[in-house]
Amino acid sequence: MRHLNALGFALSLTLVSASALASEEKAAPKADAAAGKAIATQVCAACHGADGNSTIPANPKLAGQHPEYLYKQLTNFKGKDGKPAERVNGVMSGMVAGLSDQDMRNVAAYYASQKPAGGQARGSRESIELGQKIWRGGDQSKGLPACSGCHGPAGAGLPAQYPRIAGQHADYTEAQLKTFRVGERANDPAKMMRMIAVKMTDAEIKAVADYAAGLK
């Protein structure tokens, strides 16, 4: 019964996310990856790498990420249709300030087209094993769904719905889960990540981040 409840929870999040993103991306203008490369080289490369494979643990890898997700994050940093930014970050707000909506689509398309560099699981054996357990099966005792339910067994995510997590810097993943947990990051559809992260301890968050870093 607990397994079915967790499965139903993950399924409901999938449907909400799919509906929200489908509505947002309806009739979206075509993106130009070549134009995005020019912008990425000038604006984004210092932090995220020219090909999106950031070497700075605090900055996310963007290579191979789903373009819909990248575009959403950029618009959330900037704000859209007169609405204020949904995701607050001083550095990123400055970076996107001069970008048009089409620029952001182009940058998203460029980084999505790049090949992601492999990562490596870090931390102790115990931490990685705990991370694997949560990733694959969650924790039914406290209603924590498996990460794989949305992000896939190998962390590839699902285009237009859930981001790629495989190979992401563990420091970045850990930091984002903690900001979701306390509500400092609140741009997740239907509060899905906040509802999940609030059920996780520091050790569990670190374990998931450690394990996901090694997924390919």
Side-chain angles (χ1 to χ4, degrees), residues 75-203:
T75 58
N76 286 172
F77 282 125
K78 183 181 176 70
K80 187 178 180 182
D81 299 329
K83 298 178 182 178
E86 295 180 53
R87 187 173 176 185
V88 180
N89 180 285
V91 174
M92 282 304 303
S93 295
M95 293 295 102
V96 301
L99 300 182
S100 68
D101 187 79
Q102 187 63 51
D103 288 337
M104 291 186 286
R105 291 184 187 278
N106 294 345
V107 168
Y110 168 67
Y111 276 131
S113 71
Q114 300 304 293
K115 184 178 180 179
Q120 186 174 3
R122 69 169 199 182
S124 67
R125 177 180 177 181
E126 290 76 13
S127 180
I128 294 172
E129 287 178 348
L130 174 60
Q132 182 184 64
K133 179 181 178 182
I134 295 171
W135 187 276
R136 293 181 176 180
D139 185 341
Q140 304 303 321
S141 69
K142 55 182 180 180
L144 180 63
C147 307
S148 61
C150 293
H151 297 285
L158 190 61
Q161 295 183 45
Y162 302 110
R164 174 187 175 87
I165 305 296
Q168 187 58 266
H169 292 304
D171 286 351
Y172 178 76
T173 301
E174 181 178 357
Q176 294 309 301
L177 285 170
K178 287 182 176 179
T179 59
F180 276 128
R181 186 175 63 183
V182 298
E184 289 179 3
R185 179 173 172 181
N187 69 327
D188 48 327
K191 300 183 178 181
M192 59 180 70
M193 283 307 306
R194 281 170 283 176
M195 291 167 61
I196 291 169
V198 76
K199 299 176 181 180
M200 300 177 73
T201 65
D202 283 352

